[in-house]
Amino acid sequence: MTTVKSLSREMKFFLLALIPIYFISVGLIIQPFDSIVTGIYEIIREPDFLITDYIAVGGMGAAFVNAGMMALISIYFVYSLGMEMDGHTITSCCLMFGFSLFGKNLMNIWAIFLGVFLYAKYHKMHLSNYIYVGIYGTSLSPIITQLMHVVELPLWQRFCVTILVGICIGFVLPPLATHSHYAHKGYSLYNVGFASGIIATVLVSTFKSFGIETEARLIWSSGNDAMLLGLLFVLFAGMSVVAVLWRGKDTLLGYEKLLATTGIGGTDYLLELGGAVTLLNMGLNGLFATFFVGGNLNGPTIGGIFTIVGFSATGKHLRNIFPIMAGVCIASTVRAWDITNPSALLALLFSTTLAPIAGEFGILCGVLAGFLHASVALNVGIVYGGMNLYNNGFAGGIVAMFLVPVIQSIRDRRARAKGDLSL
């Protein structure tokens, strides 16, 4: 706690902003400015349901600038509402950056934000109560883009329908996110991803009833591993070194305490253990995820890495993510798909939504959770056609709802089903 209080509010937000600024600067260096403008235009106009790698669509520089600007927008929203920084500020910033490399862009998030704003107004609550739900809820932004490509309708009708649907998404997200948390009890960290999956299933099913279909796609860049590895290594190694230098031995002692936590939903390492410990956890998890993936770095996989890094402020650490990822790898050895398959690779990274299961119930349960998650994540997306960017959040919620009660009943031999079960 002392580490957090030692910095001013403005300095904390500025330090967080250095992450997107780093990538924006790199983007402006590696790609000509006019090409970046053209690339961002291509990113905006391209349908962006899973899997659409913005590095392949607009170029690495354009993808970094788009992602960096989106992260800065998120940081500005939280700052402008007068909120203090907490773990969710870091998580939401990193998620917005990561998913803006393969799905979110400068045009397809605003209608959803408007819906969340109207929800807050309707209930006469301050927007700060729902801003994180709004940021996470932009996982459904591919729906916004897809509706603008329904060429059977005139442009003005497409625009009106798109805005209306986006507002509806934002309006129903807060109550659904609250309800879905009770379903998995925090054992899946991507709670809004689970709620978004429910919304996407309903909407896409409705679209299909009107003849609006989506086709599977795979836009996946390759050949940039050396450059991307270098950029990520410099960032994450730098974060780790700064964290240790910042508080010295106290950082290492705090990190030892962090590793003993379960990481269940609601955890906030920034408030509980301080900025230095959180920064070290982020850096080490980033290095681990980067080298675990190996030579498969592009927009989507970096998005997965930054999801791990972001949730390193609110639940993930090496002790509870490794068993989950190991379970996915084991699953790949006995099933009809390879771990280097794009969808499987993303399942490997995003499976860490189930980290609290390993943290609470141990390594073997974590491996089992990862093993099951691989199958669910690779098959459940078909119900909403890739329109929910947090596909693994939906899958993780299902696995947690299935697995956790079973584990708890086995652990407690006295557990009995209540007589008032709702049938």
Side-chain angles (χ1 to χ4, degrees), residues 214-408:
T214 59
E215 297 180 1
R217 62 166 13 191
L218 176 61
I219 300 178
W220 185 266
S221 66
S222 59
N224 300 305
D225 295 336
M227 175 179 290
L228 294 174
L229 179 62
L231 291 174
L232 295 178
F233 178 80
V234 169
L235 176 64
F236 298 141
M239 292 166 65
S240 303
V241 171
V242 169
V244 174
L245 294 178
W246 187 359
R247 300 288 295 179
K249 185 179 179 180
D250 289 342
T251 300
L252 299 178
L253 293 175
Y255 182 67
E256 186 177 355
K257 294 180 181 179
L258 184 148
L259 290 175
T261 64
T262 63
I264 197 165
T267 300
D268 190 329
Y269 293 138
L270 185 64
L271 297 182
E272 295 169 8
L273 296 169
V277 175
T278 303
L279 187 64
L280 177 62
N281 191 43
M282 292 170 65
L284 293 179
N285 286 353
L287 289 171
F288 171 76
T290 300
F291 287 103
F292 202 99
V293 170
N296 296 281
L297 294 173
N298 54 25
T301 55
I302 293 177
I305 291 168
F306 266 89
T307 299
I308 291 176
V309 171
F311 275 96
S312 298
T314 52
K316 296 183 182 181
H317 50 70
L318 292 177
R319 190 178 66 83
N320 66 9
I321 65 174
F322 178 75
I324 305 295
M325 297 175 76
V328 177
C329 291
I330 292 172
S332 72
T333 65
V334 297
R335 296 178 184 169
W337 45 266
D338 190 88
I339 196 63
T340 58
N341 176 278
S343 295
L345 200 56
L346 294 184
L348 172 66
L349 290 166
F350 290 112
S351 65
T352 51
T353 180
L354 296 170
I357 293 180
E360 175 75 18
F361 303 114
I363 293 175
L364 292 180
C365 290
V367 171
L368 176 60
F371 189 92
L372 294 176
H373 179 88
S375 292
V376 177
L378 291 176
N379 290 284
V380 76
I382 193 172
V383 300
Y384 43 71
M387 290 296 178
N388 175 25
L389 292 175
Y390 302 166
N391 176 60
N392 285 268
F394 187 52
I398 293 173
V399 173
M401 290 170 60
F402 166 77
L403 190 58
V404 170
V406 175
I407 295 174
Q408 289 176 332

Side-chain angles (χ1 to χ4, degrees), residues 15-331:
L15 290 175
L16 180 59
L18 289 179
I19 295 176
I21 290 173
Y22 170 72
F23 284 98
I24 290 174
S25 301
V26 171
L28 293 172
I29 292 172
I30 63 177
Q31 188 173 347
F33 183 76
D34 57 343
S35 178
I36 288 177
V37 173
T38 302
I40 290 178
Y41 174 74
E42 292 297 324
I43 286 172
I44 290 173
R45 67 185 295 271
E46 180 75 24
D48 40 34
F49 50 93
L50 293 175
I51 302 173
T52 304
D53 185 350
Y54 282 169
I55 292 179
V57 173
M60 189 183 299
F64 281 167
V65 171
N66 175 72
M69 292 176 67
M70 294 284 283
L72 290 176
I73 288 170
S74 300
I75 295 171
Y76 174 75
F77 278 164
V78 178
Y79 180 82
S80 65
L81 290 172
M83 301 168 64
E84 292 293 332
M85 180 178 290
D86 61 14
H88 283 289
T89 313
I90 297 173
T91 302
S92 62
C93 168
C94 289
L95 256 68
M96 185 64 90
F97 175 84
F99 281 91
S100 295
L101 292 171
F102 69 113
K104 303 180 184 182
N105 60 58
L106 294 166
M107 291 299 293
N108 65 10
I109 63 170
W110 302 108
I112 295 174
F113 274 127
L114 179 58
V116 174
F117 172 78
L118 292 176
Y119 181 86
K121 284 293 184 182
Y122 178 79
H123 288 279
K124 299 179 180 180
M125 299 287 288
H126 196 270
L127 184 58
S128 61
N129 292 291
Y130 306 110
I131 187 61
Y132 291 128
V133 172
I135 293 174
Y136 297 141
T138 53
S139 63
L140 294 171
S141 56
I143 292 177
I144 306 301
T145 307
Q146 182 63 24
L147 287 174
M148 288 300 295
H149 285 81
V150 181
V151 294
E152 291 81 6
L153 296 176
L155 179 60
W156 70 271
Q157 291 184 11
R158 279 182 274 162
F159 181 79
C160 292
V161 170
T162 298
I163 298 300
L164 179 61
V165 171
I167 290 174
C168 290
I169 290 172
F171 196 88
V172 303
L173 259 173
L176 273 179
T178 300
H179 183 76
S180 63
H181 184 270
Y182 291 113
H184 57 72
K185 298 181 179 179
Y187 285 98
S188 175
L189 293 176
Y190 309 161
N191 179 55
V192 176
F194 183 58
S196 297
I198 297 172
I199 295 172
T201 301
V202 173
L203 287 177
V204 171
S205 298
T206 304
F207 294 161
K208 289 181 179 179
S209 300
F210 287 94
I212 302 174
E213 298 276 356
T214 59
E215 297 180 1
R217 62 166 13 191
L218 176 61
I219 300 178
W220 185 266
S221 66
S222 59
N224 300 305
D225 295 336
M227 175 179 290
L228 294 174
L229 179 62
L231 291 174
L232 295 178
F233 178 80
V234 169
L235 176 64
F236 298 141
M239 292 166 65
S240 303
V241 171
V242 169
V244 174
L245 294 178
W246 187 359
R247 300 288 295 179
K249 185 179 179 180
D250 289 342
T251 300
L252 299 178
L253 293 175
Y255 182 67
E256 186 177 355
K257 294 180 181 179
L258 184 148
L259 290 175
T261 64
T262 63
I264 197 165
T267 300
D268 190 329
Y269 293 138
L270 185 64
L271 297 182
E272 295 169 8
L273 296 169
V277 175
T278 303
L279 187 64
L280 177 62
N281 191 43
M282 292 170 65
L284 293 179
N285 286 353
L287 289 171
F288 171 76
T290 300
F291 287 103
F292 202 99
V293 170
N296 296 281
L297 294 173
N298 54 25
T301 55
I302 293 177
I305 291 168
F306 266 89
T307 299
I308 291 176
V309 171
F311 275 96
S312 298
T314 52
K316 296 183 182 181
H317 50 70
L318 292 177
R319 190 178 66 83
N320 66 9
I321 65 174
F322 178 75
I324 305 295
M325 297 175 76
V328 177
C329 291
I330 292 172

